Amino acid sequence: MKKHILVIPGDGIGPEVTTWGKAVLEQIGTEYGHKFTFDEALMGHVAIEATGNPLPDETLTKAKACDAILFGAVGHAKYDNDPSAKVRPEQGLLKIRKELGLYANLRPIMLFDELLDASSLKPEVLRGTDILFFRELTGDVYFGEKKRSDDRNTASDLMIYHRYEVERIATKAFEAARSRNKRLCSVDKANVLEASRLWREVVQELAQQYPDVETEHMFIDNAAMQLVKNPKKFDVVLTANLFGDILTDEASQIAGSMGMLASASIGDGTGFFEPIHGSAHDIAGQNKANPLASILSVALMLEISFGLKEEAQRITSAIDQTLKDGYRTGDIADIHTEKSKILGTDAMGQKVLEYLSKSAKN
Ligand code: NAD
């Protein structure tokens, strides 16, 4: 198979972790005889510094021409502390999602048994959890009209959804539920918000086409509580942009760390694969970041964009074996025992490559 992949490392720990996602792709390509070619492009703070634009035209052109994108993260402390900055790194991310029509963000909450103790939740609550989140990506308060009064003392963000936006992501979520445990939970705030009432109406209508899928509607406040009380009750969770943003960060603690969760943003064209974490300024440049979320993003790319399930499974198994043998980055170190062998970003990435090679020989 021949595929051209655009790597957008971005800011902070983005380049540190993306290096290892790319290295894993190269190794899989060599082993299975796939011809993966790579290009690189700027986005975020690094792009603002180089061109004044968080998403330079050149990056967008390359993004539209490739088969899949491996992204790191964007963000810089300078902007976090200056909410009035007009040009901001995250504008690049929002724009590329819009330009590529990436309307669905898939976030599997995959739980490695070895990390049951790394979560702040009890192992008996977590064991058996397997959730696939569908977060809507192109609507909601992120893209609605933003206003500030002339005296600067009043502000508003418009929460807006169109029927077609809800329909297209809900269809993908129902299809996924059908191929999994046939349960779908749609999360909204329909008791208060009109945008949520439209959301619920559309999901209810669509549910009639999927009688084999058990559909439930839950308010966001209840869902946030149920997620930590009994995560096993969820199979596919479908939700809007803002609620999904918050809920999936909460869910990251089920997996032990933000550094363990990958995501796929898909639409009708090029897929965009990234860890769910940000640029983590607090650990950037220190060789401390967990590269596993980036490596798991590559597994998602192989499965979702290229249909290479066996190759994706090989990556997940190599990570599983790495964890079973006690190797950990600091964020997932076992706080209850002395048994973790703590590694930096590079040594952890290297370990996964070693386990991939070993499994090829067996
Ligand atoms: P963050 O995800 O960067 O970090 C949150 C916490 O998790 C930090 O303590 C960090 O050290 C830790 N962490 C994150 N990834 C890790 C990894 N791979 N290994 C080990 N520890 C990890 O979120 P934040 O601190 O809220 O935001 C920092 C910057 O990232 C901000 O500028 C924000 O705008 C940006 N951001 C970008 C994205 C994105 O590019 N998709 C997403 C979220 C935040």
Side-chain angles (χ1 to χ4, degrees), residues 138-344:
T138 57
D140 213 332
V141 288
Y142 295 73
F143 296 98
E145 190 186 1
K146 296 176 184 304
K147 280 189 189 160
R148 184 71 87 93
S149 63
D150 290 343
D151 66 4
R152 314 289 298 156
N153 290 329
T154 306
S156 66
D157 300 84
L158 180 68
M159 178 179 274
I160 180 164
Y161 267 112
H162 303 287
R163 172 172 287 273
Y164 78 92
E165 290 174 315
V166 187
E167 259 167 12
R168 63 187 180 181
I169 185 168
T171 303
K172 289 225 185 279
F174 273 113
E175 292 293 337
R178 201 167 242 182
S179 69
R180 290 170 48 99
N181 292 318
K182 300 189 170 46
R183 282 183 289 124
L184 181 139
C185 177
S186 175
V187 175
D188 61 37
K189 189 73 182 164
N191 51 342
V192 178
L193 303 170
E194 197 55 38
S196 278
R197 283 194 267 274
L198 170 67
W199 182 279
R200 189 173 286 216
E201 201 177 290
V202 174
V203 176
Q204 277 169 340
E205 282 167 20
L206 213 54
Q208 291 170 19
Q209 295 172 32
Y210 297 86
D212 51 327
V213 175
E214 191 189 310
T215 307
E216 180 184 13
H217 299 271
M218 200 179 276
F219 296 135
I220 175 67
D221 35 354
N222 186 20
M225 185 269 284
Q226 297 286 346
L227 196 57
V228 284
K229 188 179 173 209
N230 184 16
K232 285 193 273 281
K233 85 184 283 324
F234 297 103
D235 176 19
V236 170
V237 176
L238 165 67
T239 190
N241 206 344
L242 179 64
F243 298 152
D245 193 357
I246 299 165
L247 224 45
T248 50
D249 266 24
E250 183 189 351
S252 73
Q253 286 316 297
I254 292 172
S257 166
M258 304 272 278
M260 290 302 300
L261 286 189
S263 83
S265 299
I266 56 168
D268 299 319
T270 313
F272 190 87
F273 299 84
E274 59 174 311
I276 79 153
H277 61 73
S279 52
H281 330 300
D282 52 337
I283 54 167
Q286 298 173 38
N287 195 31
K288 281 185 181 168
N290 184 347
L292 296 182
S294 180
I295 296 173
L296 285 166
S297 304
V298 159
L300 278 181
M301 178 191 292
L302 293 174
E303 184 170 348
I304 295 174
S305 278
F306 306 159
L308 300 173
K309 282 196 174 162
E310 183 189 323
E311 287 85 335
Q313 187 52 49
R314 282 277 314 286
I315 295 174
T316 312
S317 302
I319 291 178
D320 196 30
Q321 201 52 54
T322 307
L323 296 171
K324 276 201 170 84
D325 287 348
Y327 296 105
R328 303 279 190 275
T329 41
D331 56 314
I332 50 171
D334 189 338
I335 50 169
H336 305 294
T337 71
E338 299 291 310
K339 70 180 179 192
S340 299
K341 299 166 201 165
I342 301 192
L343 304 179

